[in-house]
Amino acid sequence: MGNTVRELADRTPAGRDRYVDLLRVASLGTVVAGHWLMAAVFADGRVGNLLAVLPELQILTWALQVMPVFFFVGGFSHALSYRSLSRGHDAVYSVFVRARLQRLLRPTMVFVLVWGVAALALGGRDGLAGVALRLVAQPLWFIGIYLAMVAFTPLLLKLHERWGWAAFGALALAAAGVDALRFAAGVPYVEFLNFAFVWLAVHQLGFLRADGRIGRPAVLAAGGLAAAAALVAFGPYPLSMVGMPGEKVSNMAPPTLALLAHGVWLVGAVELLRVPGARLVARPRVWRGVVAANGVAMTAFLWHLTAMLGVYGAMLALDLPLPAPASAAWWAQVPLRFAVAAALTALCVAAFRAFERPAGGSRPPASPGRFAGPAAALGVTLSLLGVLGLSMVGFGGLLEGRTAVLIAVRISAPAAVVMALAGWLLVETAGRAARARAV
């Protein structure tokens, strides 16, 4: 793989914005490290959250909750990709969807299938195994949101090209309106709309970045930070920018206006670091590392919780000391747990990284792809609902009839798996058919 990485790095176009690639890797790496650190496993197999054990650490989420940066980078990349494909294909929507989602959905579907088989083999379990069947699916919410961003890119890009910052402002106002209906009027289920409004607003900032219209990053950073602080201090929003167990209100699920303000501050902050970041990633050795990490980033993200829970599972099985979370002995173990979790994640990457590579040219179907666009839209919708539903219900209830509420509708784990797989197949089929027609 080293030679391949070197070749890819050496072939990088001179005009490529390497800093964006660095942000993608750094944001996912920060999320992975944050998940590993927050996992507070007790000696009896219970899994808690370090931020609940030490609430004073919740302020750190204002710097370490960096998922908005990943979605910001996604907006930048989607704008460039869609415009490029628009110049070469008639059936651009389905081709764009397949091109953007191939390296996302293929490793995700493999993850779902492997853990689905494991859930069937383990059955209903108590202790850490039962917790793992629920927890490993939770990061899939990120996949679902990213699917929505890809699906809405053509429409939102048109709005951006016509209205610029006003398009972002409209989404931000919509997010504020949802929170007003939720907290002031008590309208049920309306909060789920902010999964779209908040994250698509952050995504819209990526469009502005692609067109060099992001403005003054210092103003963004200061304004976003001040707005987030005011909303938390005087509004109904909690301090933590990640979800906390037992909280009546979470800034993450569903997202709130406070999280949007947090995203704005982070975008301003990373833009302020753009010049030194670009100098760093211009170094050949650093750039090769970024290229290598980007090639396996999604696989590592999907399996990192599996690795961490595997570490704790092995410690419990071997009867190794498991200090109380946040104790001095617990902190002393952090470097070793991280090292072993990183090694296990690397093993998972070695086993499954082939699925993250773009598929080679396959035989085009006989269909001319007449309905490729609608089929791709339906496929994205099914995959989105499937992975979001699975992130909520987990693998533990695969054959037990357990359900979770997704946008006012109850969904079970089997239904979520079927929707995710069916949606992926539709996206693949529609994209290949449209590509064949365009060629």
Side-chain angles (χ1 to χ4, degrees):
M1 183 174 177
N3 292 334
T4 302
V5 168
R6 182 180 292 273
E7 292 170 0
L8 288 173
D10 291 343
R11 291 200 304 265
T12 302
R16 185 179 182 92
D17 193 332
R18 300 184 182 194
Y19 181 55
V20 169
D21 296 284
L22 176 63
L23 289 179
R24 182 184 295 111
V25 170
S27 58
L28 276 186
T30 302
V31 170
V32 167
H35 285 171
W36 285 351
L37 184 62
M38 287 190 296
V41 178
F42 295 84
D44 59 1
R46 290 181 296 116
V47 178
N49 190 311
L50 179 65
L51 299 179
V53 178
L54 285 177
E56 56 268 29
L57 294 182
Q58 292 180 19
I59 190 64
L60 296 180
T61 63
W62 287 50
L64 300 179
Q65 164 50 300
V66 295
M67 197 56 85
V69 175
F70 189 89
F71 292 146
F72 165 67
V73 169
F76 174 90
S77 301
H78 295 160
L80 298 185
S81 176
Y82 186 77
R83 286 167 174 169
S84 176
L85 284 171
S86 296
R87 294 190 291 268
H89 293 283
D90 294 325
V92 64
Y93 183 75
S94 53
V95 176
F96 166 75
V97 167
R98 181 175 184 264
R100 298 308 299 174
L101 296 186
Q102 195 174 66
R103 290 182 60 183
L104 183 72
L105 284 180
R106 290 175 77 233
T108 300
M109 293 306 107
V110 171
F111 174 83
V112 168
L113 289 174
V114 170
W115 264 105
V117 171
L120 295 177
L122 291 171
R125 289 294 183 98
D126 297 324
L128 188 60
V131 173
L133 290 172
R134 175 174 52 84
L135 285 184
V136 295
Q138 286 187 358
L140 292 178
W141 73 267
F142 150 79
I143 307 292
I145 299 301
Y146 202 81
L147 288 170
M149 290 176 173
V150 172
F152 284 108
T153 286
L155 172 62
L156 293 178
L157 191 55
K158 287 181 180 179
L159 294 177
H160 157 75
E161 290 168 348
R162 182 169 183 179
W163 301 106
W165 272 98
F168 166 82
L171 288 167
L173 284 174
V178 166
D179 275 9
L181 292 173
R182 175 187 180 185
F183 294 118
V187 177
Y189 301 119
V190 70
E191 64 268 24
F192 288 104
L193 291 174
N194 267 352
F195 276 113
F197 293 142
V198 168
W199 290 127
L200 290 179
V202 174
H203 189 245
Q204 208 78 7
L205 291 174
F207 294 166
L208 291 160
R209 169 69 156 75
D211 287 350
R213 300 171 63 186
I214 203 68
R216 299 179 180 177
V219 173
L220 277 182
L225 188 59
L231 288 168
V232 169
F234 304 108
Y237 306 100
L239 175 65
S240 175
M241 290 297 164
V242 301
M244 297 296 299
E247 275 188 332
K248 293 183 179 179
V249 176
S250 166
N251 280 319
M252 273 289 295
T256 64
L257 185 62
L259 185 64
L260 176 54
H262 170 72
V264 171
W265 119 255
L266 283 180
V267 167
V270 298
E271 283 296 286
L272 283 172
L273 297 173
R274 182 176 179 179
V275 173
R279 283 200 298 263
L280 174 65
V281 82
R283 300 175 183 175
R285 187 172 298 178
V286 174
W287 177 237
R288 286 195 294 270
V290 171
V291 171
N294 263 314
V296 298
M298 192 51 55
T299 303
F301 176 80
L302 286 166
W303 292 97
H304 77 279
L305 278 185
T306 301
M308 176 51 75
L309 291 170
V311 171
Y312 279 112
M315 293 179 70
L316 290 172
L318 296 173
D319 202 24
L320 296 177
L322 193 59
S327 65
W330 186 90
W331 284 108
Q333 274 190 355
V334 166
L336 179 60
R337 289 200 304 270
F338 269 45
V340 178
L344 290 179
T345 302
L347 288 176
C348 292
V349 167
F352 299 111
R353 69 185 180 189
F355 298 100
E356 193 168 345
R357 297 170 187 160
S362 55
R363 175 186 253 173
S367 168
R370 181 178 179 182
F371 301 104
L378 177 61
V380 172
T381 301
L382 287 174
S383 293
L384 184 158
L385 294 175
V387 296
L388 281 181
L390 197 54
S391 74
M392 299 178 71
V393 74
F395 291 100
L398 200 59
L399 292 181
E400 298 172 6
R402 202 176 71 188
T403 61
V405 177
L406 175 64
I407 315 177
V409 176
R410 288 208 164 269
I411 187 170
S412 65
V417 170
V418 169
M419 284 194 295
L421 290 173
W424 169 54
L425 292 175
L426 270 174
V427 167
E428 283 288 316
T429 302
R432 285 199 304 265
R435 182 179 60 182
R437 188 182 183 196
V439 172

